[in-house]
Amino acid sequence: MKSFKIYSPASIDEALKLLPHSRGPAAFNAARLVAGGQDLLGEMKDHLVEPEALVNLTGIPGLDTIHCGSSLTLGALVRLVSLERHGELRAGWTAIAEAAESVASPQIRSQATLGGNLCQRPRCWYYRNEHAPCIKKGGHECFAEAGQNKYNAIFGGGPSYIVHPSDLAPALVCLDATVTIAGGRGRRDMLLEDFFTLPNEGSVERENVLKADEAVVGVSVPRLPSPWRSCYLKFRERGSFDFALASVAVALAVEGGAVEGGEIKAAKIVLGGVAPIPWRCTKAENYLVGKPHEPATWRRAAELAVEGAEPLEHNGYKVRLANGLCQKALRHLA
Ligand SMILES: Cc1cc2nc3c(=O)[nH]c(=O)nc-3n(C[C@H](O)[C@H](O)[C@H](O)COP(=O)(O)OP(=O)(O)OC[C@H]3O[C@@H](n4cnc5c(N)ncnc54)[C@H](O)[C@@H]3O)c2cc1C
């Protein structure tokens, strides 16, 4: 790994002043934010980025708090282990706790932060191979499109076919989270759903709208009123710890509670591990409203959730997998 300086600013404003003002070829060597380091240090060891300096956020006070009130507010430095273990959070925003506990291993979750999880880079092995000049690294081609694409996107791909690796992202999008971003020009809030960008929107080398001199400072999530309930299910190849081959976050409001047979009043379904962004299944969500909460409904909703999938040569299994996970999650909420 190339040697680097490390700065430990005492405030977010101080941190932002250390960042470059634009992305471009020089950004490869520019200062980078680091939080838990669980993604960035791997990238540096693999020479995917070689920053001259790291701006360590972890000493900044006030960014590691969890507050459960009429909404859930989370600082960007909240560790994933805290999301997983917080009883009130788990009761009110179950999908978030379940997504957090599905991430990596306990050791990684004790270091990894919310902000870092949302801003982590893709795991596509062509991107992660320093010798593969793929389109995500300024090259001209997505090698996964015609290559080894078992783990790549079945929705929203082209010109790059990465999948977004975050487990928290689909759960937070499903629960209508808002992200707060701080930058040189002040703060802005936006729906987390709008934070993530497809490869054909903005820059193919980026996965979100963050500018070079901006940082995520927190996320807030409205409290689901009764009778809403939520869950997060993930399928991974390796049982001990692994990224999602596919995952699903579901939130449902069912008349009389989540009782089987009750009328579904509202629904949110977001898939993970299948697209470059958390993938909203709006058609399935609309279908569910007014239907009885029962197996035939779950089967049709799951079909609609994967409608329009465009699998590559080696990842057709993800269509069946995502379909099965949707049905299982809907049944789970009964
Ligand atoms: C073996 C292994 C298995 C894993 N499995 C999973 C998994 O199953 N599911 C999953 O979701 N993740 C998984 N991960 C990824 C891991 O969850 C993320 O790497 C971790 O959450 C990143 O958090 P961090 O605080 O360590 O981020 P860092 O490594 O510090 O930062 C990651 C990126 O985000 C940027 N960044 C950090 N904080 C901010 C901020 N506040 N604002 C803007 N940019 C910021 C950094 O500049 C960097 O580019 C795995 C990682 C490993 C190494």
Side-chain angles (χ1 to χ4, degrees):
M1 190 195 287
K2 205 181 109 186
S3 61
F4 55 89
K5 290 188 197 125
I6 186 145
Y7 296 105
S8 294
S11 70
I12 196 75
D13 290 340
E14 212 180 291
L16 296 175
K17 284 189 189 130
L18 294 162
L19 296 178
H21 294 296
S22 64
R23 298 196 192 282
F28 183 75
N29 289 321
R32 296 278 168 133
L33 295 175
V34 66
Q38 298 302 298
D39 185 42
L40 185 63
L41 294 183
E43 285 211 299
M44 290 167 66
K45 287 179 191 168
D46 291 340
H47 309 287
L48 301 179
V49 291
E50 295 194 315
E52 300 289 347
L54 294 187
V55 180
N56 178 13
L57 295 175
T58 56
I60 299 178
L63 286 184
D64 61 351
T65 54
I66 299 179
H67 175 74
C68 301
S70 58
S71 63
L72 170 70
T73 52
L74 303 169
L77 292 178
V78 169
R79 309 270 178 192
L80 303 194
V81 69
S82 308
L83 296 176
E84 172 191 353
R85 291 190 184 161
H86 197 289
E88 197 179 347
L89 187 159
R90 183 174 284 272
W93 296 268
T94 310
I96 298 173
E98 290 178 348
E101 77 183 346
S102 81
V103 172
S105 62
Q107 291 89 340
I108 290 171
R109 296 198 295 277
S110 73
Q111 292 301 309
T113 64
L114 166 65
N117 188 267
L118 296 177
C119 298
Q120 63 176 302
R121 303 306 312 279
R123 288 278 154 179
C124 176
W125 47 28
Y126 295 107
Y127 169 74
R128 292 276 162 172
N129 182 336
E130 64 172 304
H131 302 296
C134 78
I135 194 166
K136 292 292 291 178
K137 300 194 296 253
H140 300 293
E141 208 181 322
C142 175
F143 300 118
E145 184 175 5
Q148 294 299 322
N149 47 42
K150 174 177 171 184
Y151 301 110
N152 292 82
I154 57 171
F155 293 105
S160 150
Y161 288 83
I162 61 130
V163 294
H164 201 283
S166 166
D167 282 304
L168 284 176
L172 288 165
V173 167
C174 178
L175 298 185
D176 286 333
T178 299
V179 61
T180 302
I181 296 168
R185 292 156 301 281
R187 293 194 174 208
R188 57 187 176 129
D189 291 331
M190 66 192 315
L191 274 179
L192 187 64
E193 187 173 356
D194 299 330
F195 174 76
F196 298 104
T197 50
L198 283 167
N200 64 5
E201 299 169 340
S203 163
V204 69
E205 293 177 38
R206 306 286 313 153
E207 294 83 47
N208 58 53
V209 300
L210 272 189
K211 298 193 171 73
D213 61 349
E214 288 185 322
V216 169
V217 289
V219 166
S220 74
V221 194
R223 185 185 280 278
L224 294 178
S226 179
W228 278 92
R229 289 179 65 202
S230 69
C231 71
Y232 182 76
L233 296 186
K234 164 176 175 179
F235 188 87
R236 54 191 170 188
E237 201 165 33
R238 177 172 50 185
S240 53
F241 67 96
D242 215 340
F243 291 89
L245 291 182
S247 66
V248 65
V250 177
L252 274 191
V254 182
E255 197 171 56
V259 184
E260 189 169 339
E263 186 184 325
I264 297 172
K265 294 294 184 189
K268 294 284 296 278
I269 302 182
V270 182
L271 296 175
V274 294
I277 58 172
W279 194 254
R280 269 290 292 281
C281 304
T282 318
K283 213 165 169 184
E285 293 172 1
N286 292 339
Y287 164 79
L288 283 166
V289 177
K291 302 289 184 311
H293 193 18
E294 63 183 24
T297 304
W298 308 333
R299 276 196 295 277
R300 181 64 190 138
E303 278 169 15
L304 291 171
V306 296
E307 201 177 82
E310 293 182 309
L312 301 165
E313 188 180 352
H314 304 292
N315 66 7
Y317 73 94
K318 284 197 180 192
V319 180
R320 294 188 302 281
L321 185 55
N323 178 318
L325 282 173
C326 283
Q327 291 189 53
K328 196 170 170 186
L330 289 164
R331 186 183 321 120
H332 181 74
L333 289 180

